[in-house]
Amino acid sequence: MATFVEPRLPRGMRDIVPQKMILRRYVIGVIEQVFERFGFEPLQTPALELAQTLMGKYGPDAEKLMYAARHRDGKEDLALRYDLTVPLSRMVAMNPELVKPFKRYQIAPVWRAERPQKGRYREFYQCDADIVGTSSMLADAEIIAMIFTILRELGFQEFVTKLNNRKVLGALGEYAGVPPALLGGLSRALDKLDKIGREGVREELRKNEIPAESIEKILNLIALPVDDLATWREKFRAFPRGVEGINELEQVLQYTRAMGVNPARLQIDLTMVRGLDYYTGPIFETVVTEPKIGSLTGGGRYDGLIGLFSKNPLPVTGASVGIERIIDVMQELKMFPDNLGKTVTQVLVTVFDAERRAQSIALTMNLRAAGINAEMWYDDDGLGKQLKYAAARGIPYAVIIGPDEAASNVATLRDLATGEQQQIAQTDMAAVLQEKLRHL
Amino acid sequence: MATFVEPRLPRGMRDIVPQKMILRRYVIGVIEQVFERFGFEPLQTPALELAQTLMGKYGPDAEKLMYAARHRDGKEDLALRYDLTVPLSRMVAMNPELVKPFKRYQIAPVWRAERPQKGRYREFYQCDADIVGTSSMLADAEIIAMIFTILRELGFQEFVTKLNNRKVLGALGEYAGVPPALLGGLSRALDKLDKIGREGVREELRKNEIPAESIEKILNLIALPVDDLATWREKFRAFPRGVEGINELEQVLQYTRAMGVNPARLQIDLTMVRGLDYYTGPIFETVVTEPKIGSLTGGGRYDGLIGLFSKNPLPVTGASVGIERIIDVMQELKMFPDNLGKTVTQVLVTVFDAERRAQSIALTMNLRAAGINAEMWYDDDGLGKQLKYAAARGIPYAVIIGPDEAASNVATLRDLATGEQQQIAQTDMAAVLQEKLRHL
């Protein structure tokens, strides 16, 4: 075998140790359960896709971040998936027999070579739920209601969904007479309104070579009250796409209300853009306002994507839950339930000496058969070292079978938090521990 | 965006549809639970590793199968992991502060460009559990007992563990005077004994240029009864590595017995080799004999691997459960519990017409709040189409709110298996459904 190799991770990658995995699994568990309550089912697609499947779907900024992959037989240009949306579209196009609507979720890693920075990794999980095969705004509304349910069940108190529609963004350009080739620049400028203000947007539009006349029209338009949909509809009278977008916004509002979503929690934001090229209809981001931590999730409708892979295009809408950010925030704000613990192990069965080992082994197996997560000690070490191990790991209980205990088929059960000890018949140990663990 | 792209999967890759994901998740759930009962904790490592981390660890045959990956910044040679063992070793070497013994499991995809064939994919899951930091044979024995527990809880009836030790294999070569450079050829030939018989092995050894004299010695040795460890120990008297290997075999037998494993289920097989280069001590494969389906899992000790990444080497032993094969076999033999179902959705709430939609929406949200997995219908379609959808999906119940029902705040609950219907107050629907689902 090889000689010494420096153990290193690739740039921007990480290992997730058990203590953190416990938190991670909790969050994934809650999300999965809500997805299923809303009628979404699990789907798995491979991490590697043909490069041609992924390229040209996200826009040039995204493509720069993709990893290429290849087997030495050299027959296929592959790439690691950048999101779960394009793979879903490819999969649906390949399987026309799928019953529609097709509602799937997928919780899986994606890869993006973003500049490494705190809390940002190049492999991270996406949690996506999408509805394939309906143009009804009821589907878009349901996605928003589901996101609210997820955030609430994770313990977030207050959130607001910012809602826009790509058709409205498109109509804005038409209305202002922006040449189609410059629409990308218009979107990028508008998206910064919150950060750079009106004058910043004006400057940005100028830089993007948008005609002065168009700039004035746009700035006037976005000064209109966003909630006054009747006025917007009037403005867009000559631009059917814009009217359609406004009508869709209205329907989403109406349906979310029927689902019990408080209307105060839905804010129309006609300058919100969202990054990816493939959106075509409603787009949204849900922002947690209490605690104040910003956008944790977003999504939208992309009715054109499957059509790139199939002669039978199908409408799709969906959302992605920002699980990595959620885990970080929940940890920072200590939002995880107390009883999650540092370890899944519930008891360490110590080994007093070689002679007593067989009893410790038998008791360990006995506890496991009763469904208790039990470890035993492998080596010939003193009790002190074994108990220190249990404490370091955060294991709540230890069992000791010394010579006295062994002789009378009992064992000492020690609560490692309080130091309390009691002697229990070995045959009763599983039942006693089960009872104690129930109250932990 | 791009023009039409043929939707295709890379060679040897697949999508896993929801119906199959339900089975998959069941198997993973059972395995995870047993891993945790035995004191293993979840760990996650990235799919991509530096090429230098993976290369030179598995042997040349394995390396041919690896996928290379690269980001266009070109700064790092990366590869997709080929197993979960080398990444674990890299991780342990990088984190010397980890409390030992460190027991982790990982259930995650690995990538190998094997020749595509039925039931074999180039992305597949491995289910690994390993114990880092003890040389005790108690650890190796525990791994075997755990594998038995997993197979039994999945519903397999009878299995046997074939047990060998790499030290014995090494000593065989020493005993027969095989030059070190030819030991690989010796192992590969011995490994085929079951398939090609003694004469086949003789031929194979000759082809591998092993001296005639050595061949005779080897064939005589492997004709000895495998259970007669005293004789083997005597033969290896001058080869301490061989004696150590025989002693380890004996200890594993003794400890598994203390764990309640029937000794008849452990078969020493001194010609079993297992593919990977890194094993150093006990190696084993567990073979299911009833139903007769062969090896579903195996593992062994690899005390040298962490030493390639660290000046503080640590002993490790572990096993890999062949989850892909297990899922296939269980499906073929109809071993999955009946109540798993084709879908996780429990009820479809139909929409009678636009006027009645709000009630259907409200009831759907109500059922979800009660923990029931509920879908609603999005579009303006007739009831027939909606019920056909539910049947195609295998959803057990449908709810109908027509004009009569709507007027009196009731709903019709239809059992889609039997066609039975009953009217229920909308406010009671969640409770009634919960009760019915409990008995499904």
Side-chain angles (χ1 to χ4, degrees), chain B residues 119-138:
Chain B
R120 281 261 183 147
Y121 292 94
R122 291 178 161 201
E123 170 182 293
F124 60 95
Y125 269 53
Q126 281 206 333
C127 276
D128 280 20
D130 294 83
I131 304 172
V132 177
T134 177
S135 302
S136 167
M137 288 299 120
L138 191 47

Side-chain angles (χ1 to χ4, degrees), chain A residues 50-122:
Chain A
L50 293 171
Q52 65 182 40
T53 301
L54 304 184
M55 301 304 283
K57 313 294 178 297
Y58 300 100
D61 288 350
E63 272 168 26
K64 277 184 210 140
L65 305 178
M66 277 204 277
Y67 284 95
R70 190 170 257 281
H71 178 247
R72 62 206 243 165
D73 72 10
K75 286 192 190 120
E76 293 180 317
D77 280 328
L78 304 169
L80 281 163
R81 65 181 168 219
Y82 172 92
D83 73 2
L84 303 173
T85 308
V86 174
L88 168 68
S89 303
R90 189 266 308 143
M91 184 270 177
V92 170
M94 274 178 74
N95 296 277
E97 77 291 354
L98 279 176
V99 179
K100 313 288 178 332
F102 176 62
K103 295 172 73 172
R104 82 85 178 83
Y105 72 86
Q106 187 166 5
I107 301 177
V110 303
W111 292 267
R112 299 180 185 178
E114 293 189 89
R115 204 146 51 84
Q117 51 179 300
K118 191 183 164 286
R120 280 261 183 145
Y121 292 94
R122 291 176 161 202

Side-chain angles (χ1 to χ4, degrees), chain B residues 104-118:
Chain B
R104 83 85 178 82
Y105 72 85
Q106 187 166 6
I107 301 177
V110 303
W111 292 268
R112 299 180 185 178
E114 294 189 90
R115 203 146 52 84
Q117 51 180 300
K118 191 183 164 286

Side-chain angles (χ1 to χ4, degrees), chain B residues 75-222:
Chain B
K75 286 193 188 119
E76 293 181 318
D77 279 329
L78 304 169
L80 281 162
R81 65 182 167 219
Y82 173 92
D83 74 0
L84 303 172
T85 309
V86 173
L88 167 68
S89 303
R90 189 266 309 142
M91 184 268 178
V92 170
M94 276 179 72
N95 296 277
E97 76 292 353
L98 279 176
V99 179
K100 314 286 179 331
F102 176 62
K103 295 172 73 173
R104 83 85 178 82
Y105 72 85
Q106 187 166 6
I107 301 177
V110 303
W111 292 268
R112 299 180 185 178
E114 294 189 90
R115 203 146 52 84
Q117 51 180 300
K118 191 183 164 286
R120 281 261 183 147
Y121 292 94
R122 291 178 161 201
E123 170 182 293
F124 60 95
Y125 269 53
Q126 281 206 333
C127 276
D128 280 20
D130 294 83
I131 304 172
V132 177
T134 177
S135 302
S136 167
M137 288 299 120
L138 191 47
D140 302 76
E142 188 180 44
I143 297 272
I144 293 170
M146 179 173 72
I147 295 296
F148 275 35
T149 306
I150 287 171
L151 292 174
R152 182 145 311 132
E153 300 208 356
L154 287 172
F156 294 100
Q157 298 302 318
E158 296 289 340
F159 11 85
V160 160
T161 287
K162 297 199 296 178
L163 195 62
N164 196 7
N165 193 302
R166 278 282 170 98
K167 290 173 184 164
V168 173
L169 279 168
L172 264 176
E174 288 175 35
Y175 171 90
V178 176
L182 300 180
L183 284 175
L186 170 61
S187 288
R188 279 192 293 278
L190 287 178
D191 204 28
K192 296 182 187 161
L193 180 62
D194 281 352
K195 276 190 203 155
I196 62 178
R198 280 176 66 82
E199 287 314 305
V201 170
R202 186 194 300 278
E203 192 46 45
E204 196 78 8
L205 289 170
R206 223 180 262 141
K207 267 194 228 154
N208 278 292
E209 292 170 24
I210 294 188
E213 198 186 345
S214 299
I215 294 181
E216 285 320 302
K217 278 190 171 173
I218 288 163
L219 291 175
N220 287 336
L221 201 60
I222 62 174

